[in-house]
Amino acid sequence: MASGDWLLATGDERVGCLAFSETPAPPSPRPGYAATADLDSIAEGFERLERGEAVGGLAGRLWSAGISLGGARPKAVVEHCGAQWIAKFQRRDDTYDQCGAEHATMRLAARCGIAVAETRTRDVGPRRVVLVKRFDRDPGTHAPTCHFMSGLTALGLDETSDSGSYPELARFLHFYGAQHGSDRRELFRRMAFNVLCGNRDDHLKNHAFLRRDGAWRLSPAYDIVPQPDMDPQQAIGVGRSGSYPTIGNCLTRAPDFDLSQDEARDLVATLAARMRSWRQDFAADGVDEATIRRLARAFSTDLDRPPASEAAASSRS
Ligand SMILES: Nc1ncnc2c1ncn2[C@@H]1O[C@H](COP(=O)(O)OP(=O)(O)OP(=O)(O)O)[C@@H](O)[C@H]1O
Ligand SMILES: [Mg+2]
């Protein structure tokens, strides 16, 4: 399929404001979402599609529409409590509760002061689903509220490139961001959080910018999940030692994020202190014991020996 065909095939579920048609007239409305009440039948249809069976109807339509959102997990846009949510379904080959892990990690991030998309979990038939509230649609009308640009586009890169880094995203904010100081500090907080919780899949399409009133802001955070089975490297660079996932490496570029060394160390110490009870927090959010044991491999040992406190104390004394 040519890239133009992909653009024309997107429906109202697409991310951001842009719509595509072959004539100057806007495309006719093509709702690509369903109600949460339909999650059971969608899950059942997705199950059959994953087994390679041909499925039409609602599940077939939503499966195709979900492809425009990208990513690895089967997903569909659903309407719930008057708003649009992205429903990300457990996969047949998941060996632990990834949906629960995503929900609990996003909530932990929120408790660490990170602006995150709201999430909820549901059990539908034999599968779990994590619902992620869309930040680019008006809850009342479902009308697009803002333009969306991924980090990949912001840096002018494409899928085949293996470059890109948090400092480069910070640089984009520095030049084009409406509130570049606070957004760069927020980006540093997200980077440190991803390193500490072991979310290695923090590639450039898992960061985005929203444009409202002619200015770019960092979007709420999304797709934050510890990855115990991935290579112990971040997907993009965090500091002078590239994507090597340590807080020490993150700190090497602190000024790029509008932070002094001391401010960055204090920020990390606060983050690590808040994250140290993650096991209890995840259990309270409904994550089972086996999943928590599995995820423990992803969490950094920097949590147990915060790098900041002694170093910061000695540099100040
Ligand atoms: N809350 C949201 N509001 C608007 N768009 C979103 C939101 N969350 C994600 N998106 C968009 O949808 C895309 C897919 O979502 P996400 O990254 O969560 O899934 P994924 O990459 O498929 O994750 P997984 O690998 O777990 O399946 C994102 O790259 C982003 O463009
Ligand atoms: Mg993603």
Side-chain angles (χ1 to χ4, degrees), residues 16-301:
C17 268
L18 296 179
F20 301 90
S21 81
E22 284 175 299
T23 66
S28 43
R30 200 164 354 134
Y33 52 86
T36 28
D38 295 321
L39 277 176
D40 274 308
S41 67
I42 299 169
E44 197 256 334
F46 279 14
E47 179 98 22
R48 288 173 41 213
L49 277 158
E50 278 191 280
R51 284 202 300 264
E53 294 173 31
V55 171
L58 180 65
R61 277 205 316 280
L62 291 179
W63 177 278
S64 310
I67 292 172
S68 79
L69 299 169
R73 194 158 291 277
K75 55 179 76 57
V77 175
V78 293
E79 185 176 20
H80 175 56
C81 298
Q84 278 195 12
W85 302 67
I86 297 175
K88 298 171 70 177
F89 290 78
Q90 186 183 343
R91 279 165 35 151
R92 271 163 67 79
D93 54 359
D94 280 352
T95 52
Y96 59 95
D97 179 11
Q98 294 226 22
C99 294
E102 177 164 349
H103 171 63
T105 314
M106 296 275 281
R107 282 172 54 90
L108 182 63
R111 284 192 288 269
C112 289
I114 293 172
V116 297
E118 185 183 341
T119 55
R120 296 185 187 174
T121 52
R122 287 276 182 288
D123 289 314
V124 285
R127 294 204 186 195
R128 280 207 116 184
V129 175
V130 55
L131 298 174
V132 187
K133 191 173 185 179
R134 290 187 66 162
F135 44 67
D136 62 335
R137 288 291 180 273
D138 184 322
T141 64
H142 300 323
T145 51
C146 53
H147 283 286
F148 174 104
M149 176 165 64
S150 75
L152 192 71
T153 301
L155 298 191
L157 298 172
D158 66 48
E159 307 258 3
T160 58
S161 117
D162 57 4
S163 55
S165 67
Y166 284 93
E168 285 171 80
L169 293 173
R171 195 176 149 81
F172 173 85
L173 282 168
H174 182 67
F175 284 111
Y176 303 106
Q179 294 185 28
H180 65 85
S182 56
D183 275 359
R184 279 189 291 157
R185 292 190 289 278
E186 165 79 1
L187 186 61
F188 183 89
R189 188 176 292 109
R190 293 183 193 184
M191 172 173 76
F193 184 86
N194 286 337
V195 164
L196 290 172
C197 80
N199 174 27
R200 310 288 175 226
D201 202 22
D202 54 349
H203 54 77
L204 290 171
K205 288 198 297 183
N206 280 338
H207 300 278
F209 304 97
L210 302 180
R211 188 176 176 89
R212 282 196 185 89
D213 306 324
W216 290 106
R217 295 289 315 271
L218 197 56
S219 81
Y222 55 90
D223 206 9
I224 308 181
V225 202
Q227 308 284 342
D229 303 321
M230 279 183 84
D231 273 357
Q233 297 281 325
Q234 299 305 125
I236 56 174
V238 301
R240 295 203 188 284
S241 300
S243 52
Y244 187 54
T246 63
I247 289 301
N249 191 19
C250 295
L251 290 171
T252 59
R253 298 292 293 264
D256 296 34
F257 299 88
D258 197 36
L259 289 163
S260 69
Q261 280 296 316
D262 281 351
E263 286 169 337
R265 285 175 194 282
D266 285 348
L267 186 156
V268 171
T270 307
L271 210 54
R274 183 62 201 84
M275 292 173 76
R276 226 162 280 141
S277 60
W278 73 269
R279 287 182 181 78
Q280 294 90 307
D281 294 332
F282 276 36
D285 279 330
V287 181
D288 63 272
E289 189 47 47
T291 297
I292 290 176
R293 270 201 306 278
R294 186 80 176 269
L295 296 175
R297 275 197 267 157
F299 277 79
S300 166
T301 50

